[in-house]
Amino acid sequence: MNSVGEACTDMKREYDQCFNRWFAEKFLKGDGSGDPCTDLFKRYQQCVQKAIKEKEIPIEGLEFMGRGKEKPESSS
Amino acid sequence: MVKYFLGQSVLRSSWDQVFAAFWQRYPNPYSKHVLTEDIVHREVTPDQKLLSRRLLTKTNRMPRWAERLFPANVAHSVYILEDSIVDPQNQTMTTFTWNINHARLMVVEERCVYCVNSDNSGWTEIRREAWVSSSLFGVSRAVQEFGLARFKSNVTKTMKGFEYILAKLQGEAPSKSLVETAKEAKEKAKDLASKAATKKQQQQQQFV
């Protein structure tokens, strides 16, 4: 899958590979410590956040799960 | 006005397989409309939950009538954010997904809760809710309200006009505006003056 920043696609794929391994083998089994992907993630983020700014994609200031928290729990 | 959707799906795979697959589902044969995928935030909380924010760009496929009505929207892809919380201890995942552009045209929000299937612990169920809203509903309501207000004002004018003409036809002194009264008075004065002038001329002629 491509990154929104064309130059970031390889970094994204490298990070994804590392993350997917850690996620299945460590995190889901209860071991959330020691994320081995932090360096790859940092490199990837530097690239992609720059691309996001250049393309003026409006991701700033949006609260995590923001509008989802306001939504009423529907009756089951 | 918001359109609401509620649905439930089952995947015949265990929760850990589904959660792992969640991060690897693009690309797939059914995702040709998804152009890019990026993680833009990720952290593990002190209580061992994984928070992530994923940015997706998707093609903006509209029916032809919508392309004609909203030409400015045609050229731009849709940017979508997907926030998620993975809780391996409780074996649940919650996602909230929404579009961050084209919002003046339409906003679609989706909340999913993934958990172990109540009938079969080897399966995973997804409870999906969505809200589809458009500020265009507000525009159409404003147009309706303006139309009604203008119509009511015209009805008032209609009735006043009727009362005016009926009074006039029935010889009553209709209530007129000051301008009309002043104008009529001026005309009447001119008329009287010219009549008086004519009469004087006639009298003078008689005396000669």
Side-chain angles (χ1 to χ4, degrees):
Chain A
M1 200 65 216
N2 291 333
S3 168
V4 72
E6 296 80 11
C8 316
T9 296
D10 288 340
M11 284 180 247
K12 168 193 144 55
R13 291 192 188 157
E14 248 192 292
Y15 165 71
D16 282 347
Q17 264 185 351
C18 179
F19 169 80
N20 288 327
R21 210 178 308 125
W22 169 83
F23 184 76
E25 292 171 15
K26 289 271 160 61
F27 180 75
L28 289 185
K29 300 199 163 131
D31 183 7
S33 63
D35 178 4
C37 312
T38 40
D39 288 340
L40 287 171
F41 188 63
K42 225 174 271 177
R43 266 182 76 219
Y44 165 47
Q45 286 302 291
Q46 268 173 357
C47 182
V48 80
Q49 297 291 348
K50 185 160 165 264
I52 285 168
K53 274 201 177 66
E54 280 168 6
K55 296 185 186 226
E56 298 185 333
I57 301 174
I59 66 168
E60 287 305 313
L62 296 168
E63 197 194 342
F64 187 75
M65 289 287 194
R67 287 159 74 155
K69 290 193 277 195
E70 291 159 25
K71 298 282 185 206
E73 293 287 330
S74 70
S75 48
S76 25
Chain B
M1 201 179 124
V2 181
K3 283 287 191 188
Y4 177 72
F5 169 92
L6 174 63
Q8 204 142 358
S9 326
V10 176
L11 291 168
R12 289 174 192 190
S13 299
S14 60
W15 66 274
D16 53 323
Q17 288 176 320
V18 171
F19 292 8
F22 182 72
W23 301 114
Q24 302 178 61
R25 68 190 210 272
Y26 298 127
N28 68 70
Y30 305 95
S31 72
K32 294 213 161 62
H33 60 290
V34 181
L35 302 172
T36 72
E37 171 202 35
D38 284 287
I39 302 295
V40 297
H41 178 80
R42 186 165 263 157
E43 67 180 274
V44 180
T45 66
D47 58 348
Q48 297 300 298
K49 295 189 182 146
L50 180 74
L51 311 185
S52 308
R53 172 167 278 180
R54 183 155 50 171
L55 169 69
L56 302 167
T57 64
K58 299 189 185 179
T59 58
N60 181 27
R61 302 143 295 154
M62 292 190 281
R64 204 108 48 120
W65 62 263
E67 287 187 348
R68 271 178 279 163
L69 275 174
F70 311 112
N73 292 77
V74 173
H76 298 105
S77 306
V78 188
Y79 295 126
I80 288 148
L81 285 183
E82 172 207 82
D83 286 351
S84 58
I85 304 174
V86 181
D87 183 354
Q89 273 144 18
N90 293 311
Q91 298 167 0
T92 64
M93 175 167 71
T94 305
T95 69
F96 187 71
T97 307
W98 76 106
N99 58 300
I100 59 173
N101 67 339
H102 298 279
R104 263 176 298 186
L105 176 47
M106 174 167 63
V107 173
V108 180
E109 296 160 297
E110 176 203 65
R111 177 168 65 198
C112 293
V113 179
Y114 295 67
C115 58
V116 177
N117 180 236
S118 36
D119 298 322
N120 186 330
S121 60
W123 292 355
T124 309
E125 65 187 40
I126 307 171
R127 178 196 160 83
R128 188 186 310 269
E129 292 175 283
W131 297 266
V132 180
S133 56
S134 174
S135 65
L136 293 179
F137 279 120
V139 171
S140 80
R141 206 150 37 103
V143 170
Q144 269 179 251
E145 281 173 18
F146 157 74
L148 183 62
R150 186 173 61 181
F151 177 78
K152 284 184 187 172
S153 159
N154 283 347
V155 168
T156 304
K157 290 184 191 173
T158 297
M159 296 315 293
K160 284 203 166 127
F162 251 122
E163 285 162 13
Y164 174 85
I165 196 70
L166 283 166
K168 200 164 178 204
L169 292 173
Q170 288 158 20
E172 287 169 28
S175 55
K176 287 178 280 189
S177 70
L178 281 170
V179 174
E180 287 170 51
T181 316
K183 204 172 169 200
E184 259 192 47
K186 206 171 164 190
E187 295 295 320
K188 203 162 182 183
K190 262 169 87 180
D191 192 39
L192 283 170
S194 77
K195 281 200 180 123
T198 317
K199 197 166 184 186
K200 197 163 184 200
Q201 264 186 335
Q202 287 175 334
Q203 280 178 333
Q204 283 178 329
Q205 282 172 340
Q206 275 178 344
F207 278 114
V208 163

